[in-house]
Structures are given as structure tokens and as C-alpha cells.
Amino acid sequence: MNIEHFLNNSVMSWMAFEGKYADIVMSTRIRLARNLTGYRFPLSFSENEALQVDKAVSAVLLDEEAELETTFSYIDIKGLSTLNRQVLVEKHLISPKLANSEINGSVLLSDNEAVSVMINEEDHIRIQCIFPGLQLQEAWRQANNIDDILEKQLPYAFDEQFGYLTSCPTNTGTGLRSSVMMHLPALTMTNQMNRIVSVISRLGLVVRGIYGEGSKALGNIYQVSNQTTLGKSEEDILTDLQSITEQIIEKEREARLALMNTRENALKDRLYRSLGVLTHARLLSTEEAGRCLSDVRLGIDLGLIKNINVSILNECMIFMQPGFLQKYADTSLQPEERDEFRAKMFRERLQVKNNIDDEGEETHDV
Amino acid sequence: MICENCKQRPTKVTVTEIQNGEHVQRHYCEECAKEFHPFHLNFEQDPLSLHQLLSNWFGITENKQQEQKRQPQTVTCSSCEWTFRQFINKGKFGCASCYESFREQLPDVFSKLHNGNVKHVGKIPGAFGQTLHLKKQIESLRTLMRTAIGIENFEEAARLRDEVYALEKQLESGGENHDEH
């Protein structure tokens, strides 16, 4: 499939709104780190080793279409412009590390963008599967299947005691990082997140902002994932994450109910104001857009805001990021211009007929 | 046990601190632990903190702890030529052989990173699974052989020894010979 497809398309398979927890869990991600024996890790290997690893891994994925049950497109990172790399990062299809890499790195993307296999990131192979809603077992099954196919043809670096050998000692063992992306506005509003974060970290799990380590929780979206990879089986890692996730969902639902019961008017006021901002603002920063998106999403979940499709909100979340906006504008934008463009995009996507100030802007087909 | 701090509530949390290279254990109740707990912050920091943590554990401070650890710091991986010191500073391995080169030091590292765990349980690649299976079979045959020798059943012991030899050969050839026992 043409690379342009991946760069221009802001609708991704994980955005489909499904599953019983889909109102709170936005997506599930499984990542497996693997290395080949006989080549040093990307941190210390030579260009020649990089090329050989790239060739060996991509050949398997491109040849085994039938068994993989999906078609992969091969994308060489070096051949991409900085902006195009940024767009792939914003879609979570590649990591910032691979995007900034100087060495021979590449990514294989499945047509529906649910699977991406990065080659020569921090490890030789990073298999990633993203599913909508809470589907840890399903995502694991797919990643595991790809892993099985690769392992049949490639010699993995594995040790009886330490398991799968990875460049970072925090991945050694299963090489499995499983995470769920959750929208937790009520727990954030009621100041319960700090307490939850500290309890969870004692259980061998981590809570982060949406864009990974160190990032703030933009739009009240948190990523909960396992920290421990050694001494715990894949099954146990997934079961533990599932059970913690279900408990957080329960707490979030309780908090939403409590807010509705005690602060209904204040809550409604806030949510409708945010809807107003998204549909009428002329300048929108990423932070403000993220906050308002969270409010509107909560409004939809609570049945207060109707006529807006959640999948459009998901799409806006991807679309509002600097790289994507510039790709769409087809030119580089200064921060202020981005805010203007972002505001315009929200007005268009949320399709509000504006009677007061009709500037006759044409609607873009996205 | 009663909390060391408030001396009222029962202890729930044990905090191990390294003070001047000595492990000191403190026992607090949940309330007090919140005040003292050093790891609230660690998890939210960027990956850089990993190097800092590792560096701290393996002694930047001048004390006897370092005397013991000085030796391993100079162990060098033959494949990527990284020293153990380099591994600790970067927080990453240079290649798969590093695991072999630093094998003795690694349980300490992993124990701290993975809640005290130092051994992999979980998926095993097919090829390795075969080998592991053979090794386990050999181990159990050897145990049977020793028992047989113990009760002076030398005929049985010799038979078991031949079985072990056969399996060992199979192991050397990469475990590809499917010989059912």
C-alpha cells in the first residue's frame, strides 16, 4: 500500500468504538521486543549489521502474507521527511526513537494500521498491535502469532535464565509491554489520580500520559502498562493488567456518578462550555483542545451531548497534533497559525452551522 | 509490628534504603509510608532516571560497597566491547553477548528492576523449547541413574547411562533429532 495512505489517513482501526468498556478504555496495545542472535544491538551495531537485520526481518514479513493473515507495507525511515516521520509518530505507528534514528531503520505497517513492526529501533524487532477498547487477549494473540512466524525463520537471542534478550534491562524476559489507554476525566477532576498512580506503581504497573514516558496526561488520557517483564508469564502480566484496568474503570464510573449526583449543574456547564469552545473558537492550543475534547467525550458518555460521534473525536485527537495539521495544511505552520488552523479543523469536523459569523469557509474532505 | 514513625498503627510497608552502602530496612504503616516513600517519584521520571538508579545501586559513592563492586565494573563484553560500567551508565546492553559476559552481576540488576525476579518464566522459542526439554530429560535420567547406583542395580544404571548419552548427542546436534523416549 502507498505510504501516502498512512500519512494522510487520520482514521485508524483502533478508533472504532466497540466493546463493553469502550467508553473508558480507548485502545489496547501489545508490544513485543525481540533480537536476533549474531548481530549486536542497534546501539552498538554497524551499518552492515543494520542492513542485514532489516533484510532478514522484512523478508519474512513480506513473504508470509498467508500465514500472517495481513499484508504489510515496508517503509524505510531514512527515506521520509521529518514531517512525515512526525505524522507516523503522532499516529503511534512508530516511536520517536525510530523517527530520530540515524541508522537504517524501517517499519512494516499492516493495511489497517493495527499492526506495526519496527526494525532496528532500540531492539532489532518491535512488534506492536493496537486494538480498540479493552482487548488484551486479542491483541496478544495477534502479536504472538507474528512472533511465532518470525521465530520459525529467524534465530532469536534467547537465554534459559533471562528469557528474550533485549537492549534495555527493563524489557528482558518476556519483552512484553502491554498497555491500555484510558480516558479518566472524573478521577482527574476529583483529584484521585495521584493516589491511584502511587498505588498502581507498587503493584509492578505504571501510569503515564498518552505520549509515553514523562508526558503529561493531555486530555485526561492515561496509559496503564506493566513494568515487570522478568519472572512473570505473559498470561499473568495480561491478567494483572486486565484486573487493574477493570478496577480503575469501576472507580471512574463511581466518580462520574458522584459528580452527576452532587454537581450536576456545574458539570453540565463545564461540558457545554467546552463544546462551545471547540465549535466556535478561532484559536485553539493543543492543551485547550485536549481538555475540551475530554469534556465533550464525557458529555457524550453521560448522554448529555448528542449528535456528535465519538469516532470523530478520536479522529480529531490525532488530527489536532502539529505534524498532522501541517501535513493537512500542506505547508509548515508557526505555532499561532497552527492554533488557528486547529480551531478551523474542529469547526469543520464538528460541523456546526455558524449563523453569526459565516465566513463561507469551504469544508475540507478529510 | 508497629510503625517506626507514628508508633501507633501496624506496619504495612517495608522500605529498603541504601545508606552509605548499607541496606537499611524501615517499617511503616500506610499513612506514614506516604510521607517517606521515595518511589512515588521514580516511576514518573523519564528513562534517564534508570541510569541514575543503576548508578546509585552500583556505587558511585566512596565506600566499602564499591570495593566489592570495583572488580565487575571492568568486565568487558567480548562482542561489543562494552564494560559492565558502560552498561550501568547507559542503562542498556550493547549486544546479546553482554548477558553472558555480565551473567554473574545481572541477578542483582534484574532483582531491582523486576520486583525481585531474576528468572524468566513465560514463552520459550520453539527451538529453545526442544533443547530445554532435552536438558530436563537428561537431568531426570541422571537422577534415576544415581538412585539405581545407590541400590546397586548396575544393569539399570548402565541402561540409563546409555539413554543419557543418546540424548546428549541429540542436544549437541541442536535437538533436531526427534527420538521419542
Side-chain angles (χ1 to χ4, degrees):
Chain A
M1 193 167 279
N2 195 311
I3 166 82
E4 290 301 319
H5 162 81
F6 299 108
L7 293 171
N8 293 326
N9 183 15
S10 58
V11 184
M12 298 170 72
S13 64
W14 62 262
M15 290 176 180
F17 195 67
E18 56 185 53
K20 66 173 171 172
Y21 299 126
D23 53 333
I24 292 171
V25 181
M26 306 176 67
S27 64
T28 300
R29 174 174 161 268
I30 293 285
R31 187 268 281 149
L32 288 175
R34 299 288 187 254
N35 284 283
L36 304 185
T37 182
Y39 305 97
R40 287 169 292 179
F41 294 156
L43 261 179
S44 70
F45 68 5
S46 65
E47 206 165 307
N48 192 30
E49 283 172 288
L51 271 172
Q52 289 183 36
V53 170
D54 193 288
K55 241 188 215 163
V57 178
S58 54
V60 177
L61 292 171
L62 295 172
D63 290 348
E64 299 291 335
E65 279 182 15
E67 260 194 276
L68 288 161
E69 293 166 356
T70 177
T71 314
F72 281 102
S73 304
Y74 175 90
I75 297 169
D76 176 23
I77 299 298
K78 265 209 215 152
L80 293 180
S81 67
T82 316
L83 179 59
N84 284 348
R85 292 182 196 192
Q86 194 183 345
V87 166
L88 293 183
V89 171
E90 289 175 357
K91 292 176 83 176
H92 299 278
L93 293 175
I94 65 172
S95 66
K97 188 174 253 157
L98 188 71
N100 298 324
S101 148
E102 298 288 318
I103 53 160
N104 251 303
S106 59
V107 63
L108 288 120
L109 298 177
S110 70
D111 288 351
N112 65 358
E113 306 186 5
V115 185
S116 80
V117 180
M118 287 186 275
I119 306 179
N120 293 337
E121 202 244 22
E122 180 180 289
D123 295 298
H124 294 147
I125 306 172
R126 288 274 176 113
I127 305 167
Q128 173 184 275
C129 295
I130 303 184
F131 275 56
L134 181 59
Q135 301 194 67
L136 282 164
Q137 293 300 333
E138 291 79 359
W140 158 249
R141 227 170 281 133
Q142 177 151 29
N144 192 34
N145 179 38
I146 296 168
D147 184 45
D148 283 344
I149 290 163
L150 288 172
E151 114 183 0
K152 270 186 219 152
Q153 304 198 29
L154 301 168
Y156 273 169
F158 181 88
D159 182 89
E160 247 178 74
Q161 184 184 356
F162 300 129
Y164 291 94
L165 306 181
T166 55
S167 181
C168 188
T170 56
N171 293 320
T172 305
T174 57
L176 167 68
R177 187 83 65 225
S178 52
S179 34
V180 286
M181 208 158 79
M182 307 175 81
H183 180 227
L184 305 172
L187 286 175
T188 312
M189 275 186 230
T190 52
N191 289 327
Q192 295 185 70
M193 274 319 287
N194 282 346
R195 194 172 54 83
I196 290 177
V197 167
S198 83
V199 171
I200 286 176
S201 53
R202 289 188 219 170
L203 302 171
L205 292 105
V206 213
V207 185
R208 303 190 183 98
I210 175 175
Y211 295 110
E213 274 168 286
S215 67
K216 280 193 304 176
L218 179 68
N220 299 325
I221 294 166
Y222 299 84
Q223 186 181 306
V224 184
S225 46
N226 66 299
Q227 175 92 331
T228 307
T229 55
L230 192 66
K232 233 170 144 179
S233 70
E234 289 83 357
E235 217 36 59
D236 287 350
I237 289 172
L238 297 177
T239 311
D240 286 359
L241 181 58
Q242 175 88 25
S243 115
I244 291 291
T245 304
E246 285 175 9
Q247 288 175 58
I248 297 175
I249 292 169
E250 195 54 41
K251 293 272 169 237
E252 169 69 19
R253 291 212 166 125
E254 281 169 20
R256 288 181 184 189
L257 207 63
L259 279 174
M260 275 301 268
N261 286 338
T262 58
R263 301 269 188 283
E264 185 175 348
N265 248 338
L267 183 66
K268 277 183 176 169
D269 180 66
R270 172 173 166 163
L271 305 186
Y272 285 122
R273 276 171 187 272
S274 291
L275 179 62
V277 169
L278 287 188
T279 50
H280 291 82
R282 273 3 191 207
L283 290 174
L284 265 179
S285 68
T286 311
E287 286 69 32
E288 189 176 21
R291 188 167 43 75
C292 294
L293 267 177
S294 168
D295 284 345
V296 172
R297 182 185 293 271
L298 180 60
I300 295 172
D301 289 347
L302 294 174
L304 299 172
I305 296 175
K306 298 186 175 83
N307 306 327
I308 291 186
N309 194 330
V310 175
S311 60
I312 287 179
L313 295 188
N314 285 336
E315 199 190 323
C316 288
M317 241 179 52
I318 296 291
F319 210 103
M320 70 180 208
Q321 302 174 94
F324 229 99
L325 277 182
Q326 296 180 72
K327 182 83 191 157
Y328 180 42
D330 203 22
T331 173
S332 64
L333 298 168
Q334 295 304 306
E336 173 126 343
E337 294 176 309
R338 277 181 222 163
D339 291 352
E340 201 182 321
F341 206 83
R342 187 178 290 115
K344 183 163 168 265
M345 185 274 292
F346 270 102
R347 294 201 304 276
E348 285 168 7
R349 295 305 292 149
L350 299 178
Q351 286 185 338
V352 173
K353 290 271 173 274
N354 195 336
N355 299 324
I356 309 162
D357 181 13
D358 192 355
E359 293 166 2
E361 290 154 344
E362 51 191 292
T363 47
H364 290 255
D365 185 20
V366 186
Chain B
M1 211 188 287
I2 299 296
C3 170
E4 282 183 35
N5 185 52
C6 63
K7 305 200 164 50
Q8 287 177 350
R9 291 175 285 260
T11 58
K12 279 257 174 72
V13 179
T14 302
V15 179
T16 306
E17 289 178 343
I18 300 179
Q19 291 185 345
N20 302 322
E22 305 257 348
H23 290 261
V24 182
Q25 287 208 333
R26 308 209 171 279
H27 306 276
Y28 300 123
C29 64
E30 237 169 349
E31 272 77 0
C32 292
K34 277 186 208 149
E35 310 287 327
F36 291 92
H37 227 283
F39 62 53
H40 278 319
L41 297 169
N42 289 341
F43 286 98
E44 287 186 311
Q45 284 168 5
D46 63 35
L48 273 176
S49 67
L50 178 61
H51 323 159
Q52 284 156 7
L53 287 172
L54 288 170
S55 301
N56 291 343
W57 283 322
F58 288 93
I60 298 305
T61 43
E62 290 296 325
N63 54 45
K64 56 189 172 186
Q65 188 91 5
Q66 184 165 11
E67 299 266 321
Q68 293 165 2
K69 296 290 179 189
R70 190 163 283 155
Q71 201 65 28
Q73 308 245 345
T74 57
V75 179
T76 306
C77 171
S78 55
S79 165
C80 65
E81 296 179 344
W82 284 22
T83 61
F84 184 68
R85 180 73 180 207
Q86 269 176 298
F87 156 63
I88 293 298
N89 286 341
K90 296 194 192 197
K92 313 269 174 181
F93 292 102
C95 69
S97 307
C98 287
Y99 283 87
E100 196 54 58
S101 310
F102 311 142
R103 188 172 289 276
E104 274 176 44
Q105 289 79 41
L106 288 181
D108 274 358
V109 176
F110 287 131
S111 168
K112 272 150 191 156
L113 290 174
H114 296 282
N115 273 344
N117 294 319
V118 296
K119 182 149 179 31
H120 173 64
V121 285
K123 192 175 176 181
I124 296 169
F128 286 88
Q130 189 82 29
T131 317
L132 271 187
H133 182 65
L134 281 173
K135 281 188 183 164
K136 278 189 186 144
Q137 261 186 311
I138 292 172
E139 201 43 55
S140 70
L141 284 172
R142 285 224 176 95
T143 313
L144 285 175
M145 188 171 79
R146 276 190 288 272
T147 320
I149 294 171
I151 56 168
E152 298 190 2
N153 186 352
F154 296 114
E155 267 177 26
E156 174 70 2
R159 195 187 60 76
L160 289 165
R161 188 199 53 190
D162 290 346
E163 265 190 60
V164 169
Y165 279 163
L167 287 180
E168 278 176 343
K169 252 189 205 156
Q170 213 178 312
L171 197 59
E172 274 165 32
S173 66
E176 279 170 15
N177 188 359
H178 289 268
D179 198 352
E180 289 300 326
H181 286 272

